[in-house]
Amino acid sequence: MQPTTPLVLCVLLSQVLLITSAEDLDCTPGFQQKLFHINQPAEFIEDQAILNLTFSDCKGNDKLHYEVSSPYFKVNNDGSLVALRNITAVGKTLFVHAQTPHAEDMAELVIVGGKDIRGSLQVVDSDRPEGSKFRLTGKGVDQEPKGIFRINENTGSVSVTRNLDRETIATYQLLVETIDVNGRTLEGPVPLEVIVIDQNDNRPIFQEGPYIGHVMEGSPTGTTVMRMTAFDADDPATDNALLRYNIRQQTPDRPSPNMFYIDPEKGDIVTVVSPALLDRETLENPKYELIIEAQDMAGLDVGLTGTATATIMIDDKNDHSPKFTRKEFQATVEEGAVGVIVNLTVEDKDDPTTGAWRAAYTIINGNPGQSFEIHTNPQTNEGMLSVVKPLDYEISAFHTLLIKVENEDPLVPDVSYGPSSTATVHITVLDVNEGPVFHPDPMMVTKQEHISVGSVLLTANATDPDSLQHQTIRYSVYKDPAGWLNINPINGTVDTTAVLDRESPFVHNSVYTALFLAIDSGNPPATGTGTLLITLEDVNDNAPFIYPTVAEVCDDAKNLSVVILGASDKDLHPNTDPFKFEIHKPTVPDKVWKISKINNTHALVSLLQNLNKANYHLPIMVTDSGKPPMTNITDLRVQVCSCKNSKVDCNTAGAPHFSTTAVLLLSFFSLARL
């Protein structure tokens, strides 16, 4: 059966509370009475006036519009509240919202004896077949979240089973149809849209804290510091989420209780005091805390509020130059000393944590020798004046420095450094008894070794830097490792007390080092040290010697080479090699031994015939090339051993068990290393 009459759908309006708080001396905008009590009648009759409402926006009520929280009522233009049809139950409360472009307000109607109903939708079909029923489906019915809506299958009344939350689900799309007793669709389905009307049930929230802003001191009036915005979860298309901002509290409240202003719509915080009042150095505290309030309902008294704290820092700029606490400073320093001699103090009103406060010092006059330096103490901001090159009292007993102080950051354009940004430092050098100084130092002399005892090497010369004092100097030996030297205490003449030997263990690379003292007659005495370097020239005072002095050879050896001899000499060239090797013949048979030159430092000793097993002593004479030459005779002990079946027996000879071949190899190895 085709439907002949369309379904009529009526949606229950949810409650909306909007209260206006405008004030006027002659007229108060809004309802003249905001609360009414009505006894629940047996039935509200259609078009019969229930009560009269009086609303005025104080400007003629142009474009006045009313809304009632129940779809079964309306307010006529004359303010009369009437029912749209006969109604037996409407709930415990009705709300009437009136609005013009200039004002809006809410009136509350309490139904005394009314039942608490959550709301309903009435579906009417005047031509519905007999025995048919209504069926409701969709999200909120048989789909999650299930069971929010239900329909009376006989009357078509749609009801809400629990509170609705627009911020969770704003609209529901349902389907309504009529079915027969067997569940077959007779009419529909027809879409039913349920719109959840927003209520102001969410406070504004500041979500982005902490809120910290900075503004430079002396900034012009109207300088933007920061922006603070809040969030309201209510419907942004309604006044429920229309926010207005204001400053509830300022701490501290000096020099003005209204240092800042916040744009009520944008949330921009700006300065409202003159630049002169925004002076960090004169403020009680350069940090301000503002309690910022956000209120919905466009700031009306009925709106919900949320607060947050804004911290505003007044940042420093370099509008104060540093100033010395005194125009002149005094300092004393001993001659020869280095280090800090005085701390220069300054004052600066700027922020100690910034470059507008930190000082930078410069010596602008009185330091031609760069003997002084100045650095900033990072904790105290003082200038630490130091001596970096020792001062000499005899050259200058007084110094005067001109010091300038500036900030790390440049000054703002309208501020300049004044005369108090410079100071004079007077430095007095204290005389100290300085030790005598040798000239030259080190002292150097070259002598042949073995010069006669008592030979004069040189005369030491030391002078006293304290030229303004009349002092005498005495000399003494400080370090003389070999005990070879003596110094005249009066005139500083240095002579020898022993033979100087270049080959002594106290001589290194032909140089002998000794130290002398020069002691003045001050009180207390001061001492200076001088170094004497004696270069010793070599003379041929050492005879050469041979190595090795023991050798072995087999009694039946076919190779009659005995040993390779090397020679050495402690002297230097030309008093060493080439060496001359000879057999000292007066005690040796001519036809048994032979010595042959290999090079300037080595020779080969060999046999001319085999010898019986025994120990033999062969005198070797070696002579160096010095003028005059020096000769040394050394016995070479040759052990003739029995060598049979690869065994060497030198027991009878009383010698170590080395074969002739081994001795020759050892000798050649020694030769190869030279």
Side-chain angles (χ1 to χ4, degrees), residues 8-12 71-72 85 120-123 192:
V8 180
L9 305 180
C10 301
V11 180
L12 177 66
Y72 306 120
R85 63 180 179 84
S120 64
L121 302 172
Q122 185 69 39
V123 181
L192 171 61

Side-chain angles (χ1 to χ4, degrees), residues 32 84 121 176 185 277 318 377 514 673:
Q32 303 306 302
L84 295 176
L121 302 172
V176 180
T185 300
L277 288 181
N318 196 10
N377 185 318
R673 297 180 61 188

Side-chain angles (χ1 to χ4, degrees), residues 302-362:
V302 296
L304 303 178
T305 62
T307 61
T309 300
T311 300
I312 300 177
M313 306 299 298
I314 311 302
D315 291 339
D316 187 38
K317 64 180 179 180
N318 196 10
D319 55 351
H320 294 86
S321 63
K323 299 178 180 179
F324 283 103
T325 58
R326 293 186 306 211
K327 288 299 295 180
E328 294 184 346
F329 293 85
Q330 306 291 331
T332 58
V333 59
E334 291 184 347
E335 64 173 328
V338 294
V340 178
I341 59 173
V342 66
N343 290 314
L344 310 183
T345 53
V346 294
E347 293 178 345
D348 195 317
K349 295 181 180 180
D350 291 312
D351 185 355
T353 64
T354 66
W357 178 82
R358 291 190 292 271
Y361 297 87
T362 307

Side-chain angles (χ1 to χ4, degrees), residues 489-509:
I490 305 301
N491 60 24
T493 300
V494 179
D495 56 15
T496 63
T497 60
V499 175
L500 308 184
D501 184 6
R502 193 198 66 83
E503 289 74 37
S504 167
F506 299 106
V507 177
H508 303 284
N509 297 323

Side-chain angles (χ1 to χ4, degrees), residues 418-440:
S420 57
S421 295
T422 60
T424 302
V425 182
H426 300 285
I427 302 164
T428 301
V429 182
L430 302 178
D431 189 21
V432 174
N433 188 22
E434 302 170 85
V437 179
F438 283 86
H439 303 282

Side-chain angles (χ1 to χ4, degrees), residues 39 45 63 68 78 244 295 405 415 451 480 526 604 612 674:
N39 291 322
I45 306 303
K63 298 181 181 179
V68 184
D78 60 0
R244 293 293 182 265
Q295 187 171 30
V405 62
V415 177
I451 59 174
D480 179 17
L604 174 63
N612 294 328
L674 296 176

